[in-house]
Amino acid sequence: MKIRSPRYNREIPQRYRLEAAKDVEGRIYFPPRVSYPGGEKAEPIRLSNRGKVITYTVIHVAPAEYSDLTPYPVGIIELDDGARITAQIADVDPAKVHIGMRVKVEFRLLRAEGEEGLLCYGYKVVPE
Amino acid sequence: MREVAVIGVGIQKWGELWNRSIRDLFVESASKAMTDAGVDHIDSMYIGCMSSGLFAAQEHLASVLADYLGVTPAAAARVETACASSSLAMRLGWMEVASGLSDIVLIGGVEKMTDVTGEEATFALASAADTEYEGYNGVTFPGLYAMMARAHMDRYGTTLEQLSQVAVKNHANGALNPDAQYPFKVTLEQVMNSTMVAEPLRLLHCSPITDGAAVVILCPADRAGEFLKDRPRVVVTGSGHATDTIALHSREDITWLKATEVAAKRAYDMAGVGPGDIDFAEVHDCFTIAEIIVTEALGFFERGQGGPAAERGDTAREGSRPVNTSGGLKSKGHPVGATGAAQIIEVTRQLWGEAGDRQLPNPRRGLAQNMGGSGGSTLVHILERR
């Protein structure tokens, strides 16, 4: 097991478990923040793992770490609790992706990072 | 506050300028601007540059550029708001002259983008969005605008032809601009059949990777006569700056550019004018969908009507509201940190009557809108001929 960078490590709660925060006025923040405009405190929550695609694209020209994957769909997903995330849409023919499509969030391998090729995980969505 | 005038401009023909470094690019445009203004010194300078670190492995850029321009010990600062960096330089230079702190201030921008590979450039540009929650998940910069385009098409019925018409129009203008990177016309068919980048956006819906610099000299309006000779006086009457969330997914409305709406309102209010009073504009067409949404957010057209307006030719040179007479980022090129200053140059040249074959008939008031990232920051300036 390789040692992960602190930068990767500190994002694990959000990326692996969808940890977020809800402020006193009910607004959801993902990832959680240091302070909130709505009040001093915000309650820790976990985001819903189901939602729908509100817009999307299919990436044909990608940065190096994703170039083996092209063409791959990416979308903005509105989860059932109202929070929004940007995620790859996996296990689907890119031509079948559409606005309004129901999806669920899954824990997936995303990419290999740096010269040592450290494996980086996070979320993708797949058709519900 | 004092009124501020533009007294000199400098730019080179933009492109893939393999033989010139970031220093060379800046010094070339800055020397031209100082010669154009007829100034032999500057009090200070503000330089916009998005990422001399990632693109050229050089930070502390202000000192590098002041040194190579030969103006040390003048005060110099490099400022950054991604692709809007040199409009921020413009705003800070304007503030410094308006406040009375300095008289002769150089503002400009530079980006050297072709010393890195295409993949490295894609990575550097993506850092203008949310690195941890957008870039990490594989969305590219064109991908963000593609998602805005898809949502705009879904909500308002904006068509691919309308998105493509913006590129056709801007290339037609750029064909008349000797400084443009790609000074040639393109057809609707060429745009719609170009290489796919991020669906539905194709290569000819996207601005290019460019090396270039653009520089403007500012001074108090009441001293402008010393430098302008026969040129009309062009003054800054409005400046607006606003921010929005860094991640596109955090915005209430993905088809809108709130920071542009707010920055424009601030500039309009300062100038005491409204969108109907603007004769022409340079706007941030990093992708053609951006020009469509920006023309709506500036109040030129109703929400959702930017596409039909482009298709009707309203934004063409001979239309009711010419947009991007320079060719825009699309044809003129987009050395990200230099783009805002180049917009100020085009607006100034149009108001001076020095825009050559693309000159508009007697314009009085022009606007420049420049944004960073997917709209996370925007600056708007209004310039008027006196």
Side-chain angles (χ1 to χ4, degrees), chain B residues 144-266:
Chain B
L144 292 169
Y145 279 92
M147 291 198 290
M148 293 166 76
R150 182 81 74 188
H152 203 272
M153 293 164 89
D154 182 63
R155 181 176 307 174
Y156 297 114
T158 303
T159 65
L160 265 179
E161 286 77 6
Q162 291 164 355
L163 289 174
S164 306
Q165 188 56 41
V166 172
V168 172
K169 184 261 296 175
N170 287 350
H171 270 278
N173 290 344
L176 303 174
N177 183 352
D179 299 326
Q181 178 175 14
Y182 295 120
F184 50 73
K185 293 183 178 182
V186 296
T187 65
L188 200 62
E189 292 66 37
Q190 285 173 316
V191 177
M192 294 182 68
N193 292 313
S194 57
T195 307
M196 191 62 85
V197 174
E199 296 178 26
L201 301 182
R202 293 173 181 269
L203 189 65
L204 290 178
H205 296 117
C206 307
S207 56
I209 301 272
T210 311
D211 299 327
V215 172
V216 170
I217 312 291
L218 304 174
C219 90
D222 60 13
R223 284 195 59 193
E226 294 172 36
F227 307 102
L228 285 170
K229 300 175 188 77
D230 297 334
R231 279 170 165 165
R233 192 168 296 193
V234 168
V235 298
V236 182
T237 55
S239 175
H241 184 188
T243 52
D244 201 350
T245 64
I246 189 69
L248 179 63
H249 60 237
S250 305
R251 310 220 181 117
E252 221 169 282
D253 184 350
I254 289 175
T255 66
W256 194 241
L257 289 162
K258 180 88 178 166
T260 293
E261 179 192 359
V262 175
K265 181 166 190 329
R266 289 172 179 166

Side-chain angles (χ1 to χ4, degrees), chain B residues 47-382:
Chain B
I47 303 305
C49 181
M50 175 179 157
S51 192
S52 56
L54 290 175
F55 284 121
Q58 178 70 64
E59 303 291 12
H60 202 180
L61 192 66
S63 180
V64 173
L65 300 182
D67 178 6
Y68 276 72
L69 182 59
V71 297
T72 54
R78 172 261 185 109
V79 297
E80 187 264 323
T81 42
C83 320
S85 295
S86 55
S87 286
L88 177 59
M90 173 70 183
R91 181 170 161 86
L92 295 170
W94 163 76
M95 286 165 67
E96 186 162 321
V97 176
S99 71
L101 198 63
S102 295
D103 268 8
I104 310 294
V105 174
L106 180 153
I107 71 97
V110 62
E111 211 76 53
K112 175 70 198 176
M113 301 176 74
T114 63
D115 277 353
V116 297
T117 64
E119 279 182 349
E120 287 167 328
T122 300
F123 172 80
L125 290 169
S127 71
D130 187 332
T131 303
E132 301 290 13
Y133 288 87
E134 292 182 318
Y136 182 81
N137 291 306
V139 68
T140 58
F141 217 70
L144 292 169
Y145 279 92
M147 291 198 290
M148 293 166 76
R150 182 81 74 188
H152 203 272
M153 293 164 89
D154 182 63
R155 181 176 307 174
Y156 297 114
T158 303
T159 65
L160 265 179
E161 286 77 6
Q162 291 164 355
L163 289 174
S164 306
Q165 188 56 41
V166 172
V168 172
K169 184 261 296 175
N170 287 350
H171 270 278
N173 290 344
L176 303 174
N177 183 352
D179 299 326
Q181 178 175 14
Y182 295 120
F184 50 73
K185 293 183 178 182
V186 296
T187 65
L188 200 62
E189 292 66 37
Q190 285 173 316
V191 177
M192 294 182 68
N193 292 313
S194 57
T195 307
M196 191 62 85
V197 174
E199 296 178 26
L201 301 182
R202 293 173 181 269
L203 189 65
L204 290 178
H205 296 117
C206 307
S207 56
I209 301 272
T210 311
D211 299 327
V215 172
V216 170
I217 312 291
L218 304 174
C219 90
D222 60 13
R223 284 195 59 193
E226 294 172 36
F227 307 102
L228 285 170
K229 300 175 188 77
D230 297 334
R231 279 170 165 165
R233 192 168 296 193
V234 168
V235 298
V236 182
T237 55
S239 175
H241 184 188
T243 52
D244 201 350
T245 64
I246 189 69
L248 179 63
H249 60 237
S250 305
R251 310 220 181 117
E252 221 169 282
D253 184 350
I254 289 175
T255 66
W256 194 241
L257 289 162
K258 180 88 178 166
T260 293
E261 179 192 359
V262 175
K265 181 166 190 329
R266 289 172 179 166
Y268 289 144
D269 287 351
M270 184 182 295
V273 300
D277 302 313
I278 303 297
D279 296 330
F280 68 103
E282 287 287 301
V283 310
H284 197 88
D285 60 321
C286 49
F287 302 92
T288 57
I289 181 63
E291 178 168 319
I292 287 175
I293 301 177
V294 165
T295 55
E296 297 170 12
L298 290 173
F300 293 172
F301 308 111
E302 296 290 315
R303 272 189 201 228
Q305 294 305 303
E311 199 165 37
R312 283 194 305 269
D314 291 3
T315 52
R317 252 186 0 275
E318 50 289 333
S320 56
R321 188 69 63 98
V323 170
N324 284 330
T325 55
S326 68
L329 286 53
K330 177 72 209 73
S331 166
K332 185 174 77 238
H334 185 28
V336 284
T339 281
Q343 292 178 327
I344 299 293
I345 292 178
E346 177 68 9
V347 171
T348 301
R349 282 177 167 168
Q350 288 286 353
L351 294 171
W352 277 345
E354 296 180 10
D357 292 340
R358 60 189 193 285
Q359 179 65 49
L360 297 169
N362 201 27
R364 255 200 73 224
R365 188 180 288 115
L367 177 149
Q369 178 270 350
N370 185 205
M371 64 188 165
S374 60
S377 57
T378 296
L379 288 108
V380 171
H381 286 95
I382 297 170

